[in-house]
Amino acid sequence: MTVIPPPRARTDRPVPVGASAAAPPRAEPSDRSAPPSGSAASDGSPAPTGPARPGWPATSARSATPGRGGPPRKGTAAGRRGRRGSAPPADTTTPPHTDTPPRTDTPAHTAAIRIGRHVRVPKTAELVAAHLRRQIVRGELHEDDALPPEAVLMEQFGVSRPTLREAFRVLESEALISVRRGAHGGARVHTPNGHVAARYTALVLEHQHTTLADIHTAHTHLEPAAIRLLATTATDTHLTHLTTHLTTTDHALATPHPNPTDIHTHHLDFHTLLLTTPANHTLTMISSMLRHILDATTPDTPTPDLTTLRHQHTTHHQLLTHLTNHDPDAAETLWRHHLTTTPHTPHQPTTPLDLLGD
């Protein structure tokens, strides 16, 4: 029986980093003149201890120590691989030098790699309110629609009665629903409108000690810009609505004893109808908010007399003519002059905004 000796461990060249231990040994050139590192020279002199090739570590005396660089022991995994004729295990000497700097876990580095943060899990009532709010804002639920009974909503959302009522309170605070208690009560849907936004904006302005003159100045700059845009984008439908409204006011003024309060209400409605246009939603919304704030904070403004009301009505007719002719310059100039002479102008420019009262 022929005994196959175990393969001799190579101590002259380590396996580079990343190489597999099972890879076949690298073939050396046949015409290499220098003897391998760790072997004796032809003249009997000891083998050099330096590296066999630049870039490879030198062979130390430890590599020849049994168990470190010598033949694998019998019964070990390396010995079994040797008996199968596979490649020897990778040398565990120091890998070649690289230019990659060592990683240092400094506090700054640790802070830089921290990407997580604490997050707040929303409450179930907030999730229910968000679902209903989304349906209202997107038009899936309309004005004055009745929501299903509480028992039905509790089953649909899988929540308790206190959780559902907490969601209702959130939507009530946003004026998106109104809840009536009792046998014939329930939740009713309200679509978003600018009055709620105007009231909250007025609270912010009052907290900042804003004066009525400041609000009126902003209004006289924004609304003429909206009218100018309307003169270039007015549709026949919108112009027809304005004409119908002015015709109704004409009939009210032609009565033997016109009521100044009713005529003044017609004029305010005309201002509102002017801004009910899709020309620019953002501009018209802000202008409407400012007008609502002025109307809400100056309730004691005396109603103009019939002479002033007739003059304002004539201005409205002139504006309608400019809008019909699509003349933005004339419409903007006329409306800016009209706003600066309305009763909204405060008598004392330093009068602070007071929405809450005493």
Side-chain angles (χ1 to χ4, degrees), residues 3-80:
V3 178
I4 301 176
R8 179 187 173 197
R10 297 178 59 91
T11 60
D12 55 344
R13 295 189 58 185
V15 179
V17 177
S20 174
R26 181 177 177 180
E28 297 294 339
S30 59
D31 59 346
R32 185 178 58 182
S33 58
S37 175
S39 60
S42 59
D43 56 356
S45 60
T49 58
R53 183 176 300 177
W56 294 89
T59 303
S60 61
R62 297 178 60 184
S63 61
T65 305
R68 294 185 180 270
R73 297 179 180 179
K74 182 178 180 181
T76 62
R80 288 192 297 270

Side-chain angles (χ1 to χ4, degrees), residues 188-313:
R188 293 279 179 176
V189 174
H190 302 294
T191 55
N193 60 77
H195 292 171
V196 178
R199 179 174 176 82
Y200 189 82
T201 302
L203 293 176
V204 176
L205 293 175
E206 183 174 347
H207 176 70
Q208 297 175 351
H209 307 288
T210 307
T211 62
L212 292 178
D214 186 272
I215 300 175
H216 184 73
T217 301
H219 181 247
T220 55
H221 279 78
L222 288 177
E223 190 163 311
I227 296 301
R228 179 182 183 87
L229 186 61
L230 176 61
T232 60
T233 60
T235 61
D236 294 338
T237 302
H238 194 204
L239 294 175
T240 301
H241 291 331
L242 294 175
T243 303
T244 303
H245 187 83
L246 291 182
T247 302
T248 304
T249 309
D250 289 337
H251 295 325
L253 285 172
T255 58
H257 303 285
N259 187 341
T261 303
D262 294 340
I263 302 300
H264 184 58
T265 302
H266 279 287
H267 287 177
L268 295 178
D269 293 340
F270 180 79
H271 284 243
T272 303
L273 187 60
L274 275 174
L275 299 178
T276 310
T277 171
N280 186 284
H281 292 287
T282 306
L283 186 59
T284 55
M285 176 60 67
I286 296 176
S287 300
S288 300
M289 289 170 53
L290 295 179
R291 173 164 292 280
H292 181 78
I293 293 174
L294 290 174
D295 293 340
T297 55
T298 56
D300 299 332
T301 302
T303 303
D305 53 27
L306 284 177
T307 302
T308 303
L309 291 173
R310 293 181 186 276
H311 175 72
Q312 293 176 356
H313 185 62

Side-chain angles (χ1 to χ4, degrees), residues 76-100:
T76 62
R80 288 192 297 270
R81 286 195 300 269
R83 286 193 298 271
R84 290 195 299 266
S86 60
D91 197 351
T92 57
T93 55
T94 305
H97 175 70
T98 59
D99 295 333
T100 305

